[in-house]
Amino acid sequence: MGDDLQIDIDIPRYFICPISLEIMKDPVTLSTGITYDRDSIEQWLFSKKNEVCPVTKQVVLDIELTPNHTLRRLIQSWCTINASLGIERFPTPKPAISKTEIIKLLKDSKSPHLQIKSLNRLKTIVLENEKNKRMMESAGAFNQLTTIISNVYDHDIIMSSSSPEVSGADEALTILYHLKLSQAGLKFLFGKAGNFVETLAHVMQRAVSFESRAYAIMLLKSMFEVAEPVQVTSLTLSFFKEIVQILNDQISQKATKATLKLLINVCPWGRNRIKAAENGVVSALIDILLDCTDKRVSEMIIILLDHVCQCAEGRAELMKHGGGLAVISKKIFRVSSVASERAVKILYSMTMFSGNSRVVQEMMELGVVEKLILVLQIDCGRKIKEKAREMLKVNARVWKKSPCITYDLI
């Protein structure tokens, strides 16, 4: 309606959307039988992530919206009749993507001759809006997509970016990542026959494009956020080998952050911290930390190093790296309070559980003692002060020779 309309118009009540209380431009009927304006109900269901019908409060099991053509024509006719009062006729909306169309495209993707074309169309659909993502998930798209990926990466197909099989698998992986699956969808991937976690590890190992490797690690990160303990404790050494390689290759900032989040989630479980240490995660993390300017990345690295250094293998790997103790000490008070506390915990683990004379002497030479004294002198958390004080007390015989320690502190 025109913004300058000054007279009252008797609008039929059934023209009004129950959510926005405005006249409907594109009326659609939900599976609960209530009609809404498309924009309003899509925002309610997909942007605000509500799962119930606003009017009936019933759980919406089928998210497909059925166009109410009869009501739309009535509204358009009413607008035309009242055009003299400044009311504009709403144009006929572009047909929305239907579940039937998505199911057909998924079926076509099973054909070698139609696969690339159908996957390209599905990618366009999934990138369009949140509603399409949920529509594709409800149509079971992830089942066919994971099958296409597994058929390539779980077999010894020669990796070539121009190969139709590889191109199809990479497109399927792109779509699967951008679906942003719900918890139920992510849990389905764990239950997929053939172990889809290992399939994604194969993608990280064998994929030609950095983009596919990045999508694989970011999808794994999302999967492990909803994983059951048994799924986290059964990870293999080869899985950690590929994860660490992603860190070494530094594919992208997003891929690095996803890898760090994944490792933070899985390392506390079972023997995972040992498996990670044995595959060189400590060296990879220290190398990144040496030149890192992103505070969030630095914080995650220090948190992860704290997890790994809780095992002897992790502490041994840290001592092997020439810059390990120095960079951890340097990051105290330079990243965040969380990072500072975790960095002191790492030094504590090194001192109390791997603190031979060489380690203790090296910590003094690298300026670690000065940093611990600084911890005692400034305003910071009680736990971090207690650990610093205990380290200084235990190693007082060696560290009292440090020129930075005053007579009073001794």
Side-chain angles (χ1 to χ4, degrees):
M1 291 181 223
D3 293 335
D4 57 348
L5 193 61
Q6 299 296 320
I7 62 173
D8 292 331
I9 301 175
D10 186 17
I11 305 173
R13 190 176 63 178
Y14 52 91
F15 286 6
I16 304 299
C17 176
I19 305 177
S20 64
L21 302 180
E22 296 178 355
I23 191 167
M24 290 185 276
K25 299 178 182 179
D26 184 9
V28 291
T29 303
L30 203 55
S31 58
T32 57
I34 307 298
T35 296
Y36 302 92
D37 184 64
R38 182 182 292 278
D39 286 346
S40 297
I41 193 61
E42 285 183 355
Q43 184 180 24
W44 170 269
L45 292 173
F46 308 121
S47 299
K48 297 181 179 178
K49 301 189 183 301
N50 290 298
E51 297 181 348
V52 297
C53 171
V55 172
T56 67
K57 306 303 179 185
Q58 292 176 296
V59 175
V60 180
L61 300 175
D62 185 355
I63 62 170
E64 186 160 20
L65 306 173
T66 304
N68 191 327
H69 297 297
T70 302
L71 181 56
R72 175 177 53 78
R73 293 190 188 102
L74 284 172
I75 293 172
Q76 287 176 327
S77 297
W78 181 85
C79 289
T80 301
I81 293 169
N82 291 279
S84 61
L85 299 176
I87 297 175
E88 297 180 2
R89 183 181 184 276
F90 302 132
T92 301
K94 176 185 174 183
I97 301 299
S98 68
K99 187 185 288 189
T100 303
E101 181 181 352
I102 291 172
I103 291 172
K104 183 181 185 305
L105 287 167
L106 290 169
K107 185 177 179 181
D108 289 346
S109 70
K110 297 177 182 179
S111 167
H113 303 296
L114 300 173
Q115 187 174 90
I116 296 297
K117 183 179 179 181
S118 61
L119 288 173
N120 284 336
R121 176 60 181 147
L122 285 168
K123 184 167 75 171
T124 301
I125 291 171
V126 81
L127 293 174
E128 222 168 66
N129 55 49
E130 188 68 24
K131 182 210 71 172
N132 289 355
K133 290 179 174 65
R134 301 285 68 81
M135 187 78 72
M136 285 183 65
E137 182 173 350
S138 69
F142 44 73
N143 194 16
Q144 173 60 11
L145 295 171
T146 52
T147 298
I148 293 171
I149 298 165
S150 300
N151 286 344
V152 171
Y153 284 102
D154 285 350
H155 299 87
D156 294 327
I157 294 177
I158 297 174
M159 295 288 105
S160 168
S161 56
S162 60
S163 164
E165 295 89 353
V166 173
S167 297
D170 289 348
E171 285 289 272
L173 181 58
T174 301
I175 297 165
L176 190 60
Y177 167 72
H178 283 102
L179 270 177
K180 304 297 181 187
L181 292 171
S182 64
Q183 283 197 12
L186 291 168
K187 287 182 177 180
F188 167 86
L189 298 186
F190 272 113
K192 179 74 175 172
N195 192 346
F196 194 62
V197 170
E198 286 299 315
T199 298
L200 292 176
H202 294 159
V203 175
M204 292 187 291
Q205 177 187 27
R206 302 173 59 211
V208 176
S209 74
F210 280 162
E211 188 177 58
S212 292
R213 296 177 69 200
Y215 285 148
I217 189 66
M218 289 189 286
L219 189 55
L220 278 168
K221 186 268 295 183
S222 298
M223 290 170 62
F224 277 104
E225 286 173 351
V226 301
E228 300 294 336
V230 67
Q231 295 163 329
V232 181
T233 55
S234 60
L235 296 173
T236 63
L237 278 169
S238 61
F239 174 84
F240 284 96
K241 180 181 178 181
E242 301 309 327
I243 293 290
V244 173
Q245 191 59 52
I246 294 289
L247 288 175
N248 286 325
D249 291 345
Q250 289 290 282
I251 294 172
S252 69
Q253 189 82 329
K254 284 183 70 176
T256 297
K257 286 183 177 180
T259 307
L260 293 172
K261 287 178 183 176
L262 187 155
L263 287 169
I264 288 170
N265 282 336
V266 303
C267 272
W269 295 88
R271 294 176 54 82
N272 287 345
R273 55 171 64 94
I274 297 174
K275 295 173 186 176
E278 289 176 346
N279 280 283
V281 74
V282 173
S283 178
L285 293 172
I286 295 296
D287 288 344
I288 298 171
L289 193 59
L290 284 168
D291 300 315
C292 186
T293 56
D294 186 309
K295 289 192 174 183
R296 177 56 183 150
V297 171
S298 295
E299 182 181 88
M300 286 192 289
I301 289 174
I302 294 170
I303 290 171
L304 182 53
L305 282 170
D306 177 34
H307 284 312
V308 179
C309 286
Q310 290 175 35
C311 69
E313 292 82 356
R315 295 191 293 273
E317 290 299 313
L318 182 63
M319 280 306 304
K320 286 180 185 177
H321 198 293
L325 289 173
V327 72
I328 289 169
S329 172
K330 183 180 179 181
K331 294 296 180 181
I332 297 175
F333 303 131
R334 293 192 177 188
V335 178
S336 68
S337 58
V338 171
S340 296
E341 186 171 329
R342 293 300 187 110
V344 171
K345 278 186 67 181
I346 294 168
L347 297 175
Y348 182 85
S349 296
M350 298 298 298
T351 303
M352 306 306 287
F353 305 113
S354 299
N356 56 47
S357 58
R358 184 174 71 86
V359 173
V360 173
Q361 184 65 31
E362 185 174 344
M363 290 176 79
M364 186 171 71
E365 292 170 357
L366 291 172
V368 174
V369 180
E370 291 94 321
K371 190 59 70 82
L372 293 176
I373 291 171
L374 183 60
V375 169
L376 296 181
Q377 293 174 333
I378 71 170
D379 185 21
C380 58
R382 179 179 58 82
K383 289 184 179 179
I384 188 173
K385 283 182 180 290
E386 287 177 354
K387 282 186 167 51
R389 186 176 291 110
E390 188 174 352
M391 280 187 276
L392 288 166
K393 189 180 292 186
V394 168
N395 297 289
R397 182 175 296 179
V398 177
W399 288 352
K400 70 180 180 181
K401 300 174 184 177
S402 173
C404 72
I405 301 182
T406 64
Y407 178 79
D408 290 342
L409 284 172
I410 292 172

